[in-house]
Amino acid sequence: MESRPYNEEDFLLGKKDGASINQYPTHSKSNHHNGDMSIWGMVCLSAYLFGESALTTALIFVLIPYQVRLIVGDNSKSTSLGELSIAAAIVSIIVTPIIGYLSDRTYSRFGRRRPWLIAGVCLTLFGLFLIAISRQFWLLVIGYFIEQLGISVVYPYYALLPDLVPEHQRGTAGGIMGCFTMAGNIVGGGMGFLLIILTFWQVFLVLGVIVATCTIITTVFTREQDYSDPSIPRDKMEAKKFLFSLVTPLKDRNFRNAVFSQVFFLLGLNTVAYFLQYFISDVVKSPYKLLGKQVATSADQAVAFFIFPLYIGGVVGAFISGPISNYFGKKAALCVSGLVVVCVVILMNFIPIFTLIVFLGFLAGFGWGMYFSVNNALASLLLPSDKDNAKDLGVRTIVTSIPQLISTPVISVILRVAQGYGHNLGYTIVFLVSALYMLIGISFVPFVKNC
């Protein structure tokens, strides 16, 4: 069959030489790439991130703080929220690298990552159901634990980027994934407004439908190699080999510096994120006015309103992250975008005016979106071993989660103790510690070489 010239239309439609790219293997038996991924392929690959981000943002910023306050009251809300964060961190530390190791050694006709994606989303939806019906704190903890377990089981999904996308396209793919993440975050933040017109249960149902739909798109339209072929070399699963492999990636200096950079930066972001609703409620306080006009009547609505400019800025930052990082370099993009977020966090604490906070939210989102997208692309380039992509990404999650296991409960205690001296002192400590974490993370970036 004679092939016709390849043009821009074919690229956008995911075709190569007159045929769909999906008709060809995306990935050879030696884990090398057989061609570029189309824009359509990147969009389908990124679809799941929209659903996961909508869910995560809705839970962390709006629904979990709202539900914790309803169940335990204002006096215990910070401590209880810290206990929930411990559950999430423990799950990530234990489960993620194990699932990654198993995924790297999964030999299925559906690939190595998608079976875990489906299983993890099923667990996530069950946990979401338990959270929705929780009226006691112990049931909320169990539901959140199972939901986080599902998210951890899904983690091999992130190895699809190094598995399927050639190195020279990862900046573009990272930007598209960042845009889908930020767009999902906007939708998740809007769940606070849905509480006005929908019941608590209906909001969770909407989230479940979004997650399920996005998962189906990624699962159906993202093609992996058929690993059921017995001629493919297979690694045995050995406990001793697995435990040793947890340390091996960190022996690589570049990978180690990149991981520590992400550890501290995300630690700073999570410290603020977990307590943002309580900060707006306790420090900014109602009425929540933008340019003199009241836009929210409660803290959960105010957070939802704040999230819109935050993640719109995130979409803009993610969208331009590819060209910016390609022109100025990934390290420069990471440092500048990180410093933008640090400055915003400090200003928010010392000038707690709602109108200013909303405008600063756009800048914070811009920096966050660019940092997130560039960091994803950088991480995929620094993975030490092609055959252990998912497990090595899981190792990165372990190192990221351990500080969170310690920090968030400590911050909860600080807020509780500081109540006797006024809420502002406690939150000032929280925001300054958060900024310090992020600065430490940024300081590791210059030591990442060859990128």
Side-chain angles (χ1 to χ4, degrees), residues 65 69 73-79 81 274-286 288 298-300 302-303 348-349 352 354 357 411-412 414-416 418-419 421-428 430-431:
R69 186 169 55 190
D74 283 333
N75 291 335
S76 301
K77 63 186 181 184
S78 296
T79 304
L81 193 62
Y274 270 108
F275 298 99
L276 183 62
Q277 185 177 135
Y278 299 157
F279 169 75
I280 289 178
S281 174
D282 296 337
V283 178
V284 181
K285 298 181 180 179
S286 183
Y288 303 107
S298 63
D300 49 286
V303 169
M348 282 176 60
N349 173 68
F354 188 69
I357 286 176
I411 295 296
S412 300
I414 291 173
L415 288 176
R416 186 176 60 187
Q419 283 180 349
Y421 302 93
H423 286 296
N424 290 33
L425 175 62
Y427 287 107
T428 297
V430 170
F431 277 70

Side-chain angles (χ1 to χ4, degrees), residues 27 31 95-108 110-119 152-160 162-163 224-225 227 232-235 237 242 386-394:
H27 179 308
N31 203 36
V95 176
T96 304
I98 297 175
I99 296 299
Y101 183 81
L102 295 175
S103 171
D104 289 330
R105 289 152 183 81
T106 295
Y107 303 99
S108 159
F110 301 106
R112 298 188 297 177
R113 317 304 182 191
R114 290 183 298 168
W116 296 99
L117 173 61
I118 295 170
S152 296
V153 171
V154 164
Y155 206 79
Y157 157 83
Y158 292 94
L160 287 171
D163 281 356
E224 290 186 83
Q225 179 186 345
Y227 281 89
I232 297 176
R234 306 195 175 197
D235 288 338
M237 299 185 198
F242 165 68
D386 281 347
K387 70 177 184 178
D388 284 323
N389 282 337
K391 187 268 300 173
D392 290 344
L393 286 171

Side-chain angles (χ1 to χ4, degrees), residues 59 63-64 67 126-135 139-140 142-145 147 200 204:
L59 289 178
L63 299 176
I64 291 296
Q67 201 165 4
F126 178 62
L128 197 62
F129 167 76
L130 293 181
I131 294 172
I133 64 172
S134 298
R135 295 299 177 266
L139 184 57
L140 178 61
I142 292 175
Y144 193 55
F145 185 90
E147 186 269 338
F200 199 66
F204 276 90

